[in-house]
Amino acid sequence: MPTPAAVAATTPLATDRRRAVMASALITFARFGYHKTSMEQIAKAAHISRPGLYFLFASKEELFRDAVTQSLEEDLNEVERILGAKDRALPERLLASFDCWAGRYVGPLAQDITRVIDDNPALLGDVVDTAPRRFADLVFSSIAARAGRSEREAAAAITQTMISASIGIKHQADDRAAYLERMKVAIEVLLE
C-alpha cells in the first residue's frame, strides 16, 4: 500500500511542489551537511510547513535521495539534448555537456553539494553508479559516431580521458569560467 507521501506526489501541483522543495533541500544540505540538516531547516528554506514537508516526503533520507536523483536526471536529460543537437560541432557539444554535468558545480556552494553527495553514497543507492555511467555512455556515443570503425576503441579511451580531465579540472578551477577554458583545451587536444 502506497504511503501518503507517495500518493500526494502523483498530482501535478504536488509534483511541481516536490521539485521546488527538492531544489531547496539540495541547497540546504550543501549549506549544513546532510547530518546537520533538519527537516525544519528544509521546510523553512522551501517556504513550506514541516507537516507539509512530511506530507511530500516520508523522511529526510527519502528527500535527500529524491533530490539528488532528480538533479542528476535533469542534468543527464540536458546532456542528452545537447549531444543530440547535430547542428553544433562535436567539440562545442562536448564542452556544453561537460559544463552541464560538472562545470556548473564549480565554486563554493556547488562544491559543497558535491561533497554532501560524495559523503553519503549509501543513502543514494545505485544512482551513484548509474548516473556517471550514463553520462560516459552519452559522451562515448557522440565521439564514436564521429569515429570510423577502427577508431571506436580509441573513442572509449578518449571518453574516459575527458572524464578524468574534467574531474581534475573541476577540483583545480577557481570558477566555472576557468573550468570551461581548461576543458575546452582538453577536448580539442583529445579530439585531434
Side-chain angles (χ1 to χ4, degrees):
M1 182 166 162
T3 66
V7 171
T10 61
T11 67
L13 182 60
T15 300
D16 290 343
R17 188 66 181 140
R18 280 176 63 86
R19 287 187 176 289
V21 169
M22 288 187 279
S24 294
L26 274 181
I27 293 168
T28 307
F29 284 126
R31 183 173 179 201
F32 300 108
Y34 174 79
H35 295 290
K36 292 182 182 177
T37 297
S38 69
M39 290 295 267
E40 183 68 33
Q41 291 166 317
I42 294 168
K44 283 182 184 176
H47 306 290
I48 190 172
S49 69
R50 196 163 153 254
L53 181 60
Y54 276 107
F55 184 71
L56 294 173
F57 299 94
S59 66
K60 182 169 85 169
E61 295 82 7
E62 177 187 333
L63 173 54
F64 180 71
R65 185 176 43 257
D66 289 358
V68 171
T69 300
Q70 172 189 281
S71 181
L72 290 171
E73 281 299 317
E74 288 172 355
D75 289 349
L76 288 167
N77 289 337
E78 182 62 10
V79 166
E80 191 167 16
R81 187 195 65 74
I82 291 166
L83 289 173
K86 304 294 186 201
D87 59 326
R88 296 167 69 185
L90 179 60
E92 185 182 337
R93 288 183 283 142
L94 288 168
L95 183 61
S97 295
F98 275 95
D99 182 38
C100 180
W101 182 249
R104 69 187 190 105
Y105 295 106
V106 174
L109 179 60
Q111 289 174 349
D112 290 343
I113 290 172
T114 302
R115 192 173 308 112
V116 168
I117 292 168
D118 290 345
D119 290 348
N120 298 283
L123 294 172
L124 297 174
D126 65 349
V127 74
V128 174
D129 297 320
T130 59
R133 266 198 313 269
R134 184 169 162 214
F135 176 74
D137 289 345
L138 290 168
V139 171
F140 169 78
S141 295
S142 294
I143 294 170
R146 182 181 112 155
R149 209 170 246 160
S150 63
E151 298 169 328
R152 274 185 76 75
E153 193 170 301
I158 291 168
T159 298
Q160 288 308 313
T161 304
M162 278 185 194
I163 291 169
S164 296
S166 173
I167 292 167
I169 293 168
K170 180 179 159 190
H171 291 291
Q172 293 173 355
D174 292 330
D175 57 34
R176 189 175 187 173
Y179 169 86
L180 288 171
E181 184 179 313
R182 291 182 59 198
M183 200 60 211
K184 181 179 181 185
V185 171
I187 289 168
E188 288 171 356
V189 168
L190 288 166
L191 291 180
E192 284 184 352

